[in-house]
Amino acid sequence: QVQLVESGGGLVKPGGSLRLSCAASGFTFSDYYMSWIRQAPGKGLEWVSYISSSGSTIYYADSVKGRFTISRDNAKNSLYLQMNSLRAEDTAVYYCVLMPYSYGFFDYWGQGTLVTVSS
Amino acid sequence: NFMLTQPHSVSESPGKTVTISCTRSSGSIASNYVQWYQQRPGSSPTTVIYEDNQRPSGVPDRFSGSIDSSSNSASLTISGLKTEDEADYYCQSYDSSWVFGGGTKLTVL
């Protein structure tokens, strides 16, 4: 069965950096498109970033463009999100999400990892 | 880009039917698929409807989705409400980026 396990969240000061990881199993990771989606405490869902199966196509939400970098290692079945210049408004649970096809919907979600940006 | 507007909350009794709307602010609702996600308290979201009206395996047929071009909106209908349906529901679509509605809290009382 599909499993997506995020890690790397934690408390970081404004302006700091954090790298999130997502370990995938139960499917052929290199065949699928992936996204990061976040949810601020008590708020709704916000798409953050998308990466194609090969890693050749990448998109970011305007709110994180220039600060966040998505990447993947298909040999390690892993997805990453490098987050720099963090702001208080980046505080959220970050979900790793599998997409069944390019520009598709969000099929399977991980359990999420909490990122808190606070001094 | 466009916005998707949902009612903040709805409530209904067990056994009844409830419909949650999702209105697209600009562009045609029919031009891109609409999905619906259920998020129970303390859990990750799961897909209950994809591609306007398709149900993933394991989702009961009490859940159905539709779109209405005349009102430029999508709807999620849940019939035979159960207490376990109490959750937040989010609609989502795509048009140059992925957009979510603000979410609707369903209370089954």
Side-chain angles (χ1 to χ4, degrees):
Chain A
Q1 71 282 19
V2 172
Q3 283 205 3
L4 299 166
V5 180
E6 302 94 335
S7 60
L11 176 63
V12 61
K13 289 182 167 53
S17 298
L18 215 52
R19 188 194 195 208
L20 305 184
S21 299
C22 171
S25 61
F27 64 103
T28 305
F29 182 70
S30 58
D31 285 349
Y32 288 90
Y33 306 79
M34 302 293 295
S35 274
W36 288 97
I37 291 170
R38 68 184 181 184
Q39 185 171 34
K43 302 296 184 183
L45 301 169
E46 179 188 16
W47 167 77
V48 173
S49 185
Y50 161 98
I51 187 167
S52 62
S53 56
S54 66
S56 60
T57 300
I58 286 173
Y59 300 114
Y60 299 99
D62 288 343
S63 57
V64 307
K65 202 173 294 182
R67 300 187 299 122
F68 289 12
T69 302
I70 191 171
S71 62
R72 65 191 296 162
D73 185 334
N74 286 344
K76 294 184 177 179
N77 292 339
S78 293
L79 177 72
Y80 306 102
L81 187 68
Q82 177 68 43
M83 303 185 296
N84 298 331
S85 304
L86 283 162
R87 306 166 180 167
E89 54 264 36
D90 295 319
T91 294
V93 173
Y94 285 74
Y95 295 101
C96 165
V97 187
L98 181 158
M99 305 171 73
Y101 50 83
S102 62
Y103 310 103
F105 63 98
F106 306 111
D107 202 359
Y108 290 95
W109 301 60
Q111 87 288 350
T113 186
L114 176 62
V115 172
T116 303
V117 184
S118 174
S119 54
Chain B
N1 220 337
F2 65 95
M3 293 193 306
L4 296 172
T5 301
Q6 302 179 231
H8 182 68
S9 63
V10 295
S11 62
E12 190 49 271
S13 304
K16 299 291 190 180
T17 297
V18 71
T19 297
I20 299 171
S21 63
C22 171
T23 302
R24 180 165 170 158
S25 62
S26 62
S28 171
I29 192 71
S31 60
N32 305 93
Y33 285 129
V34 175
Q35 281 66 234
W36 291 91
Y37 306 93
Q38 176 193 69
Q39 186 177 32
R40 294 190 173 108
S43 295
S44 303
T46 62
T47 309
V48 292
I49 294 291
Y50 68 97
E51 295 177 359
D52 295 343
N53 55 18
Q54 302 299 302
R55 271 190 318 277
S57 60
V59 173
D61 60 7
R62 301 185 296 106
F63 289 79
S64 63
S66 63
I67 62 167
D68 179 357
S69 295
S70 64
S71 59
N72 214 35
S73 65
S75 294
L76 172 69
T77 298
I78 311 171
S79 60
L81 275 169
K82 301 185 176 185
T83 54
E84 68 203 46
D85 298 330
E86 190 161 287
D88 293 326
Y89 291 85
Y90 295 89
C91 61
Q92 173 265 314
S93 191
Y94 171 87
D95 186 1
S96 73
S97 84
W98 290 267
V99 176
F100 287 94
T104 298
K105 181 175 181 60
L106 170 62
T107 302
V108 182
L109 33 66

